[in-house]
Amino acid sequence: MVKFVEKHPLLMIVLVCVGIFLTHLDVLYVNIMEARNFISAREMLHDGNWLLTTMNHVPRYEKPPLPTWLTALSAFLFGIHNLSALRLPAALICIALILTYYKLILEFFKNTKLAFYTALILATSFYIIFSGRNGQWDIFAHGFMVISIYFLLKMLHRSNRWYYVILSGLFFGCAFLSKGPVSPY
């Protein structure tokens, strides 16, 4: 078993993340922040207004729209009354954050064990589990920012720099569209 883990650390991280973030997403009760976010996504689908977010048909411009768009898209695909569908985008960005963090540590330190252990520690930390299993918007900003930082690091170590600059800028923009200036700070 140890040899398998050493040969396939990414697969093990994915299996751990699937177990933590994708199973029983509908078990926990909806908290007040989730309810606000899910109402905005539901109204986006119901009213067909994908540009401006609302809550109870009152403009909700304090929250950037990207997580609402992703949640509304998931609700459109899997059902607006499916709690797992509403929480799925947060769980997926959390998994992307952890996998990117693994790649970031691997790129920076060139140590597979260190990258594996730190990714598992990140995956099992309370804040990440809470944010990834609830429809919280903060995890989107943090996830997109870690991806942006990863591409910035790749830019420093590779010859095809413009490609990585563009990807980093794209994910930086996604982080900004997820929570405003919180994550860049």
Side-chain angles (χ1 to χ4, degrees):
M1 181 66 174
V2 173
K3 295 273 188 204
F4 182 80
V5 171
E6 288 177 359
K7 279 187 157 184
H8 307 287
L10 265 177
L11 177 62
M12 293 307 297
I13 292 170
V14 168
L15 291 175
V16 167
C17 287
V18 165
I20 292 172
F21 298 106
L22 296 181
T23 57
H24 305 294
L25 280 176
D26 58 346
V27 171
L28 296 175
Y29 291 108
V30 176
N31 63 44
I32 189 70
M33 279 309 297
E34 278 187 303
R36 292 175 183 155
N37 297 336
F38 295 162
I39 288 169
S40 294
R42 182 190 67 211
E43 288 181 6
M44 190 174 279
L45 280 175
H46 184 264
D47 298 341
N49 186 358
W50 288 76
L51 186 59
L52 304 173
T53 57
T54 60
M55 186 173 67
N56 298 323
H57 301 287
V58 175
R60 187 179 190 220
Y61 303 143
E62 301 85 17
K63 298 287 184 183
L66 184 58
T68 309
W69 292 337
L70 296 174
T71 303
L73 180 63
S74 180
F76 175 75
L77 294 173
F78 302 111
I80 191 70
H81 299 292
N82 183 349
L83 186 55
S84 294
L86 295 171
R87 289 177 172 161
L88 182 63
L92 292 177
I93 192 63
C94 205
I95 293 170
L97 181 151
I98 293 161
L99 292 174
T100 305
Y101 184 78
Y102 169 83
K103 299 291 277 180
L104 181 73
I105 297 299
L106 190 60
E107 180 81 19
F108 198 70
F109 292 104
K110 309 288 190 240
N111 185 331
T112 306
K113 279 187 177 182
L114 178 67
F116 178 69
Y117 292 141
T118 57
L120 287 181
I121 290 168
L122 180 65
T124 57
S125 70
F126 174 75
Y127 177 74
I128 296 297
I129 292 173
F130 179 77
S131 296
R133 291 191 56 83
N134 285 317
Q136 304 290 327
W137 278 193
D138 295 10
I139 197 66
F140 288 92
H142 303 319
F144 287 129
M145 187 53 64
V146 168
I147 297 170
S148 177
I149 291 168
Y150 170 71
F151 286 123
L152 275 177
L153 184 63
K154 296 264 302 177
M155 177 210 57
L156 295 173
H157 297 156
R158 300 291 189 274
S159 60
N160 191 6
R161 293 179 181 199
W162 285 109
Y163 174 73
Y164 296 115
V165 168
I166 290 169
L167 285 174
S168 180
L170 177 72
F171 285 104
F172 183 90
C174 289
F176 195 81
L177 280 173
S178 297
K179 194 66 176 175
V182 171
S183 210
Y185 289 133

